[in-house]
Amino acid sequence: MEPLKILVIHDDLFENDPLLYTLRERFGRDNVILEKKSSQGLEYIYNNLSSKLIVLLDFDLGAGEPHAPEVFKRIREKTSLIYVIIYTAKQFTAIPNEALIDFINNEALGIIQSTADIPEVVGMVEKAAHQLDTRVDCILEQWIAKHSEKERAKPYLTTKSGTIYTLDDLIVEIRKETELGQQLEKSILQLAIELLTSQKRQLDD
Amino acid sequence: MSEKNLKWRFDVNTFRLIGRELITDRITAVYELVKNCYDANATKVIVEFIDVSPEALNEKSKIIISDDGHGMSYTDIRDKWMVVGTASKRSTLFSPPPFERRYVGEKGIGRFAVDKLGGHVVIETKEVDTNQKLVVNIDWNAYDELSKSPQLKLFTDVENSYAFVDAPKEEKGTKLIISSIEETWTDLDINRLEKELEKIVSPFHPLNPPFQIVINSNEYDAYKDKPVKAESIKYSSLEFKLEYNVEKEWQETLKWDKEKNKIIVDRVSIKPFGGINLRLFYFDEAAKKKFNRIYKNQDYRIDGIKIYRDGLITTPFAEFEGIRDKKRDVLGIDKRLWSGFLDKVGTREIIGILDITKENNPKIIDSTNRQDFVDNEAYRELKEFVIAQLKVLEEFKKNERKLLKQKVDQELVKANIEVKEFTEALKTLEKNNPNLKQTLKPLKEQAKVIDISIKKGIEQQEKERKEYIRKENIYVSLMSLQDYAIHVSHAVRTALGKVKRMAEFFKDRFPDPKLDSIFKEYSHMIYNEMVNLNKVIDFMLSYAGSNIDMEDFNVKNHLEDLFNKAYVPVFDAEDIKHIVEVQDNFVLHANKKFFEDIFENLISNSIKALRNEESKVIKCSGFIEDDHFVIYYSDNGEGIRKGDEEKIFEMYYTTTADLGGAGIGLYIVKTRVESLRGTISVVENEFKPRGATFKISFPFKK
C-alpha cells in the first residue's frame, strides 16, 4: 500500500527542524515533505490528490503567498479527504473568528501552537493517520485509485435515475461529499457490518 | 403526546471551541439570537428577562426569546440547529419568500449563544399550517459534565428529549426559554443590549416588512414592553444630509468652499455605485466630550459609518464587538490615520448612516461570507466617496484649528499693543502731572509685568507650535512601533518555538553518537536564534527611553559623512568601492539614529550579497524629484530573486541564514523609512545584470 505522506507547509521551519526529524523517524525519511511556500504546497497537494496525505499548515505564510484560510479553502475545493492540522506561532486569539469558523466547517483536524512539545504534535499527526486508515471514504478512495486509468474510465455504476458513473466520477462524488458520495459510503458501511455479522454467525455455528 | 430522543451531531472539542471562543459576551449572545429571528422572517421579536437581577436571580430565572417567524421542523432542528456550521445559510443569501431578507445570522452560532446565556433551554417551535409544535429540551449542563470525562468525546452520547404538542394551526414561530441563567443582568446590561440592538435597523430607512424588537423585564420599569428604536443622533457639532435623485440624475456630496471657508452641499452626477443617502454627524472635541458625558453609563458611542441596505445593517455586519479596536474598519477610515493623523477625521469623530438599496445599488454586491462587499469597482468608488466626504470634514477641522490659532495670536498681539498704549498714556500723564509720580509708580510696574507676561505668552505659543510638530513626528514613529509590536511578538514566538524544539531534542536524545552532526547543527542554530532575538530586542529598545528626539539635519551632508567617513573602515576591510552622489540639499526633521539605521542595515546586507564578487561596488545617490527627495542605493552583488521583492522586507525572511542572516535588517530598514514617512521599494538594478537597487523616497513636508 502507498505510504502515508506528511506535508508541512511552514515558512519558519528548516529542513532539519527537530519536529521534521522526529516525524521522519516515525513516518519514514521520504514521506515528510517541507514546503516553505504555500503555493508550492498546494501544487504538491494537487499533484498527489490520490495519496494518503496529512498537511501541517502554518497560519501566516509570508507576503504574496496564500495564508492558511485560503490554502484550506483551495484544498477543500478539490478534496475532503486530506487531513489538515493548523500549526502556528500565531496566538489563537489573534486568529480571526471567520477563519476559525471556516476551519471548523471545513473540518480542520486540529489547531496546535508551534511552541507545543514535539510529542504533542506528533501525537496529533498519528491521530490523523489512524483516522485516515479507518475512514470509509479514504479506504474507498484508495481502492478506486488502485485501478488502472482505463478501468477507472469504464462505466461502473448506474443510479436509479439512469445516470452512469465511472470509478473516476465516483472519486469526485466522494471527495465533494455529494448526496451520491455519502449514500455510497453509507451503503458500504452497512454492507461491511452485514458481512461482519453474518461471518460471526458462521463462526458461532 | 409522545416523547422521543434527539442527539447532537458534533464532538466536545468543537463545542467548546465555538461556544467559548466565539460567543465571549452575553450581549453578543442575545444579538445573535435576535439576528436568527430576522433570518426566520419574523416581524416581531420579544426578548424577555425574568428575575435576572443580582437580587432576584434563582433557579427559576429565565430569558425568553420568542419570534413570529417561520419556525423549524423536526428535520430543521435535527439537521441544522443541532449540527455545527450548517451550510444551509451559506448556500443562499436570502431568506425564503415572500420576505427574501438578506441573511444576517452568523453560520450556526445561535445555539452556542443560548449556551452562553444559560445551562438549560427549551425550544418551542412551530411552522404555520401544522397541527403540532415541537418542544425540545436541552440540558447543556450534561454536556459540560460529559466534556470533563476523559473517555467520552462525542456529544452523540447525550440524548435530548423532544415531544410534539398540539397547537393551533395558524400559530407559528420559535420560542427559546433559557433557564439556569449563568450571569445576572442589571438594568445597565440590558441598556447595553438595547443600544446594540438599535443598530440592526437603519433609523432613516424603515424596514418593509417590519422587524420590531421588544425588550421586556418583570423587574426594571424602564423595560416594560419597550420597543427598541434607534435614538436620534444628538449633540454633534455638524450635521449633513446627502440625498440623490434618480430621475434628475444627481447625487449630493460635501464640498469645501475655499473662498468662504465653509462646507457646502454640492450636486454631482450619480456615481457608478448608484445613488446613496448619507447622514453624517461630526463631533469636534467639545461635542465629543458632551456626547460622552451624557451617554457616560450607556453603551452608546461615536463609532463611524454604518452601511444599511434596504434598512438593515450590512456593515459592520451586525456583529457586536465589545472591544472597539477590534471592530472591522471595512471602509478603511482609520487606516488613513497613519499619516498626518492630527488633521484626519477618524471613526471616533463621526457617526454616519449610509443607506443603500437593492434596487438602486445593484453593483454593490454582498460577499458570500457576509463580512464585506465584493471588492469591485463600484464598491471601491463607494469607499472613495465616503472618504471624500471625510476629507471635506478634515478641511473644516484644519480651518477651525487655524482660526483658533489666529484668534489667540490676534488677541495676544492686541493685548500687547494695548499695554503699550497704556504705558504711553501713563508716561504722558506723569509728564503733565509730576506730582502723580508716586501714585502712578505701582501702575507702571504692573504694566511692565503684564507686558512681560504677554511676551512670554507669545513665546509660549510659538513653543507649543513646535512641540505640536515634534509630538506629531513622534506619534508617526510610534505608530510604526505598534505595527512592529505585532510582528515582534510573532517573531519571538517563532524563535522560541524553534529553540524549544531543539532544546527538547537535546533533552531527550543527548548523548547519541549517531546524532552528533544534528546536535552540532542545533547548537549553532540555538546560538544564532539567540543572537537574532537579541537584535530584535535591541531594536525594540531603540524606541524606548528618551532617544527618539527629532532634529533637523541636511541629508546631503549626513549621507556624505556616513559614506565618506563613518563607513570607510568597513568598506576598506571588505574591499568595497563606494560612490556617493547627492545633488540637492534636503533638510529632514527626524531622529538621526533612525536615519542611520537605514544605511547601516543596507550596507550590512550588501556586504553579504557582495561576498562572492571580485570587484565590489556600493553606490548611493540622492536628488529631488517632484515633491520628493529620492535616494537610490545600489550594490553589484548577487541581487534579489525575482518574486521576492516584497518578501525581503518581512521580518525573519532571510536568504542568508548560513551567514547569520536573521531577516531583521531589511525589516528595520523598512520600519525606519516608514517612521520617517518615506517609502522604500526594490527597483530595476543599476548595475545590470548583477546587483540590487533600492529606491527610498521622502515626501516634502507641506
Side-chain angles (χ1 to χ4, degrees):
Chain A
M1 204 165 85
E2 203 189 339
L4 168 75
K5 303 261 187 205
I6 319 280
L7 172 65
V8 183
I9 305 179
H10 207 294
D11 65 346
D12 287 323
L13 290 189
F14 56 105
E15 268 305 331
N16 269 347
D17 193 283
L19 174 65
L20 297 181
Y21 191 91
T22 315
L23 284 172
R24 285 188 180 120
E25 278 182 327
R26 170 71 186 76
F27 295 98
R29 189 153 184 86
D30 300 330
N31 299 328
V32 179
I33 302 106
L34 172 68
E35 289 290 0
K36 284 174 168 262
K37 288 186 176 179
S38 54
S39 51
Q40 283 169 7
L42 270 172
E43 207 180 300
Y44 182 90
I45 294 170
Y46 283 4
N47 290 333
N48 292 277
L49 275 177
S50 59
S51 305
K52 267 166 76 177
L53 195 60
I54 293 167
V55 179
L56 268 177
L57 181 62
D58 188 12
F59 194 90
D60 289 317
L61 286 141
E65 290 293 316
H67 292 323
E70 173 72 17
V71 175
F72 208 165
K73 210 177 90 199
R74 295 206 346 224
I75 294 176
R76 284 294 175 255
E77 276 166 12
K78 295 276 180 185
T79 177
S80 58
L81 300 186
I82 286 174
Y83 278 120
V84 181
I85 297 166
I86 307 291
Y87 178 71
T88 177
K90 207 178 174 77
Q91 261 190 303
F92 292 161
T93 47
I95 297 177
N97 279 351
E98 53 266 38
L100 282 177
I101 295 172
D102 280 345
F103 287 158
I104 291 165
N105 287 342
N106 287 318
E107 297 179 64
L109 189 91
I111 305 181
I112 193 158
Q113 207 99 67
S114 60
T115 44
D117 287 352
I118 295 173
E120 215 177 306
V121 185
V122 175
M124 200 173 257
V125 176
E126 278 173 342
K127 183 178 153 195
H130 173 73
Q131 291 196 16
L132 264 181
D133 269 342
T134 49
R135 258 179 74 158
V136 176
D137 45 9
C138 294
I139 298 172
L140 195 62
E141 173 155 355
Q142 281 156 30
W143 175 78
I144 291 175
K146 265 194 291 192
H147 288 70
S148 72
E149 234 168 82
K150 212 172 139 194
E151 266 178 284
R152 294 203 317 242
K154 277 189 213 158
Y156 188 79
L157 189 139
T158 313
T159 60
K160 276 179 201 157
S161 56
T163 323
I164 296 168
Y165 291 90
T166 64
L167 282 177
D168 273 340
D169 295 336
L170 289 179
I171 288 192
V172 176
E173 299 292 314
I174 292 166
R175 276 185 197 145
K176 296 203 165 157
E177 292 189 312
T178 62
E179 211 171 304
L180 178 87
Q182 288 181 2
Q183 184 58 44
L184 206 65
E185 276 179 39
K186 214 168 148 187
S187 311
I188 288 169
L189 257 184
Q190 278 166 350
L191 182 69
I193 291 167
E194 248 166 63
L195 285 173
L196 202 71
T197 44
S198 64
Q199 259 177 355
K200 192 168 173 277
R201 210 179 302 135
Q202 281 174 5
L203 286 174
D204 285 346
D205 281 345
Chain B
M1 172 175 140
S2 65
E3 200 163 289
K4 291 177 187 161
N5 292 315
L6 255 177
K7 288 177 178 181
W8 289 86
R9 304 166 121 191
F10 53 77
D11 75 317
V12 179
N13 290 333
T14 316
F15 171 78
R16 281 186 152 170
L17 190 66
I18 301 197
R20 306 272 185 249
E21 299 277 322
L22 295 188
I23 309 278
T24 52
D25 183 283
R26 288 176 294 161
I27 307 284
T28 315
V30 179
Y31 198 75
E32 287 298 332
L33 294 171
V34 169
K35 286 197 294 185
N36 283 354
C37 301
Y38 178 87
D39 290 350
N41 279 351
T43 56
K44 188 174 181 181
V45 187
I46 302 169
V47 183
E48 201 172 354
F49 294 92
I50 299 165
D51 295 337
V52 292
S53 71
E55 302 80 41
L57 193 76
N58 62 55
E59 64 274 16
K60 284 184 182 160
S61 300
K62 280 187 185 74
I63 297 172
I64 302 172
I65 297 168
S66 49
D67 70 46
D68 59 354
H70 55 50
M72 288 181 278
S73 66
Y74 171 78
T75 44
D76 282 343
I77 292 258
R78 189 195 59 194
D79 296 342
K80 291 177 187 164
W81 218 79
M82 299 188 92
V83 180
V84 184
T86 331
S88 72
K89 280 187 185 173
R90 270 176 295 149
S91 55
T92 54
L93 272 179
F94 300 98
S95 75
F99 286 18
E100 286 170 348
R101 284 173 170 169
R102 183 182 160 281
Y103 281 139
V104 290
E106 282 277 348
K107 304 157 206 163
I109 300 249
R111 58 222 81 166
F112 298 100
V114 171
D115 166 50
K116 180 76 195 166
L117 297 173
H120 188 257
V121 62
V122 176
I123 308 170
E124 290 183 21
T125 185
K126 185 173 174 304
E127 294 178 298
V128 76
D129 293 335
T130 52
N131 293 321
Q132 289 184 311
K133 69 175 170 190
L134 173 61
V135 181
V136 186
N137 216 318
I138 298 165
D139 191 358
W140 298 94
N141 296 329
Y143 292 101
D144 252 3
E145 281 306 309
L146 179 68
S147 64
K148 282 177 202 146
S149 141
Q151 293 104 19
L152 294 175
K153 285 275 179 183
L154 280 174
F155 273 125
T156 41
D157 296 303
V158 172
E159 297 187 330
N160 300 288
S161 65
Y162 72 94
F164 286 99
V165 180
D166 289 340
K169 209 170 175 178
E170 64 283 359
E171 199 183 290
K172 68 182 176 74
T174 300
K175 191 177 201 174
L176 302 172
I177 305 160
I178 303 160
S179 53
S180 298
I181 303 299
E182 306 238 339
E183 290 164 275
T184 59
W185 288 74
T186 63
D187 49 349
L188 283 181
D189 292 330
I190 297 181
N191 181 271
R192 245 179 87 210
L193 170 69
E194 184 192 5
K195 293 291 174 255
E196 234 16 78
L197 290 175
E198 275 175 11
K199 290 179 196 152
I200 294 186
V201 177
S202 164
F204 303 111
H205 188 113
L207 273 179
N208 183 30
F211 182 65
Q212 198 196 355
I213 307 165
V214 173
I215 299 180
N216 197 4
S217 151
N218 69 332
E219 294 173 276
Y220 305 120
D221 289 338
Y223 293 99
K224 295 269 178 256
D225 286 317
K226 187 179 184 201
V228 174
K229 248 198 201 143
E231 198 167 329
S232 59
I233 296 153
K234 284 183 252 175
Y235 315 115
S236 65
S237 40
L238 287 177
E239 183 183 335
F240 299 98
K241 183 174 164 186
L242 301 177
E243 295 179 318
Y244 67 99
N245 187 315
V246 179
E247 282 99 63
K248 293 182 181 153
E249 293 182 354
W250 52 256
Q251 165 74 54
E252 287 179 334
T253 175
L254 295 182
K255 194 178 159 188
W256 178 248
D257 188 328
K258 275 184 205 154
E259 264 106 66
K260 291 182 188 141
N261 275 334
K262 65 173 202 176
I263 299 176
I264 51 169
V265 173
D266 196 20
R267 278 185 189 172
V268 291
S269 51
I270 292 213
K271 299 272 178 180
F273 48 80
I276 56 160
N277 281 322
L278 174 63
R279 312 268 172 133
L280 265 183
F281 302 83
Y282 169 72
F283 296 78
D284 64 15
E285 278 307 315
K288 241 160 67 176
K289 266 188 199 139
K290 184 170 184 192
F291 187 96
N292 291 333
R293 192 180 65 239
I294 288 169
Y295 294 112
K296 197 176 157 201
N297 288 320
Q298 300 177 31
D299 204 55
Y300 199 58
R301 297 177 291 200
I302 302 173
D303 56 359
I305 295 174
K306 292 177 274 293
I307 304 178
Y308 292 79
R309 171 166 261 165
D310 297 309
L312 191 95
I313 186 123
T314 55
T315 115
F317 300 96
E319 60 195 14
F320 173 72
E321 177 53 70
I323 303 161
R324 64 190 310 172
D325 285 335
K326 285 172 88 178
K327 282 199 173 180
R328 237 188 298 260
D329 177 26
V330 281
L331 289 168
I333 293 169
D334 283 340
K335 282 187 198 121
R336 302 173 319 122
L337 299 184
W338 281 74
S339 49
F341 71 105
L342 288 173
D343 285 327
K344 288 266 156 65
V345 169
T347 53
R348 291 173 202 198
E349 291 158 274
I350 40 163
I351 295 179
I353 311 286
L354 202 168
D355 277 305
I356 60 174
T357 59
K358 242 186 267 181
E359 192 191 339
N360 284 325
N361 312 90
K363 285 185 186 159
I364 303 293
I365 303 159
D366 301 303
S367 69
T368 43
N369 67 4
R370 306 194 314 278
Q371 307 297 346
D372 198 351
F373 295 106
V374 172
D375 181 35
N376 57 19
E377 202 165 333
Y379 183 40
R380 278 194 291 269
E381 293 226 18
L382 175 64
K383 283 200 244 188
E384 266 169 38
F385 181 82
V386 172
I387 301 285
Q389 309 307 310
L390 298 187
K391 279 191 178 149
V392 175
L393 288 176
E394 278 154 17
E395 288 297 327
F396 171 82
K397 196 174 163 183
K398 247 194 272 181
N399 190 53
E400 287 291 290
R401 225 170 65 191
K402 202 172 90 195
L403 287 180
L404 182 72
K405 178 181 157 293
Q406 271 172 2
K407 199 177 148 210
V408 174
D409 284 356
Q410 274 166 5
E411 272 167 11
L412 278 173
V413 169
K414 203 174 138 207
N416 201 6
I417 293 167
E418 277 169 3
V419 170
K420 276 205 180 96
E421 281 171 2
F422 180 69
T423 319
E424 283 304 313
L426 280 183
K427 266 187 197 158
T428 321
L429 198 64
E430 197 188 290
K431 210 173 162 187
N432 296 339
N433 308 283
N435 54 337
L436 284 178
K437 197 176 174 182
Q438 280 308 311
T439 327
L440 291 176
K441 202 181 166 193
L443 277 180
K444 265 169 79 182
E445 270 161 16
Q446 269 180 31
K448 219 184 220 169
V449 172
I450 292 171
D451 189 41
I452 291 169
S453 26
I454 287 175
K455 275 188 185 131
K456 267 193 186 154
I458 294 173
E459 266 171 38
Q460 188 63 24
Q461 180 82 352
E462 191 49 40
K463 241 193 202 163
E464 269 167 20
R465 204 166 300 147
K466 279 189 180 150
E467 177 66 12
Y468 174 85
I469 294 171
R470 196 184 74 88
K471 271 188 188 157
E472 199 183 28
N473 278 322
I474 291 179
Y475 278 129
V476 170
S477 54
L478 285 184
M479 291 226 218
S480 54
L481 181 63
Q482 192 185 30
D483 201 26
Y484 173 70
I486 296 166
H487 290 151
V488 89
S489 53
H490 183 80
V492 169
R493 272 183 98 93
T494 306
L496 285 180
K498 236 185 232 180
V499 171
K500 181 174 172 263
R501 284 194 298 278
M502 292 187 278
E504 197 182 343
F505 196 86
F506 269 100
K507 175 177 76 79
D508 295 341
R509 315 276 187 112
F510 188 83
D512 183 343
K514 282 202 301 287
L515 295 174
D516 268 356
S517 63
I518 291 271
F519 286 141
K520 199 166 176 193
E521 185 187 343
Y522 286 179
S523 57
H524 276 283
M525 292 197 70
I526 291 174
Y527 174 79
N528 283 340
E529 285 296 331
M530 288 302 165
V531 172
N532 292 348
L533 274 176
N534 216 16
K535 270 190 210 163
V536 172
I537 300 297
D538 279 349
F539 179 50
M540 187 154 75
L541 285 176
S542 73
Y543 283 101
S546 56
N547 59 350
I548 27 178
D549 280 339
M550 307 285 177
E551 60 185 297
D552 283 335
F553 59 88
N554 189 320
V555 173
K556 177 177 159 70
N557 297 343
H558 199 51
L559 278 176
E560 283 168 355
D561 278 353
L562 283 178
F563 280 82
N564 293 333
K565 289 178 192 159
Y567 294 128
V568 169
V570 181
F571 293 147
D572 286 349
E574 297 286 336
D575 201 16
I576 294 171
K577 190 183 159 212
H578 70 279
I579 308 163
V580 54
E581 290 172 351
V582 186
Q583 284 169 12
D584 304 300
N585 285 304
F586 176 65
V587 175
L588 196 62
H589 183 80
N591 181 293
K592 235 176 173 171
K593 175 75 180 65
F594 284 14
F595 184 79
E596 287 164 12
D597 282 348
I598 298 171
F599 294 95
E600 195 177 309
N601 283 291
L602 284 175
I603 290 170
S604 145
N605 255 26
S606 292
I607 291 172
K608 281 178 224 151
L610 288 164
R611 67 191 181 281
N612 300 323
E613 302 302 318
E614 274 188 19
S615 73
K616 307 174 180 187
V617 185
I618 285 178
K619 183 180 169 192
C620 179
S621 50
F623 49 87
I624 288 170
E625 192 181 85
D626 300 329
D627 52 355
H628 284 75
F629 186 81
V630 181
I631 298 170
Y632 283 93
Y633 174 92
S634 310
D635 66 40
N636 65 335
E638 61 188 19
I640 294 156
R641 256 197 317 231
K642 231 181 153 46
D644 279 357
E645 292 89 346
E646 292 279 319
K647 264 202 171 153
I648 51 166
F649 294 110
E650 279 179 30
M651 181 177 268
Y652 274 8
Y653 183 81
T654 178
T655 52
T656 54
D658 49 329
L659 303 170
I664 294 170
L666 284 177
Y667 177 79
I668 293 178
V669 169
K670 184 166 192 268
T671 316
R672 292 305 198 211
V673 170
E674 281 173 359
S675 77
L676 303 172
R677 301 171 189 232
T679 56
I680 181 165
S681 55
V682 175
V683 294
E684 199 179 355
N685 36 333
E686 211 175 334
F687 297 116
K688 269 185 288 191
R690 307 286 297 161
T693 300
F694 292 91
K695 179 184 177 183
I696 303 168
S697 170
F698 296 109
F700 288 170
K701 201 155 179 194
K702 284 183 185 127

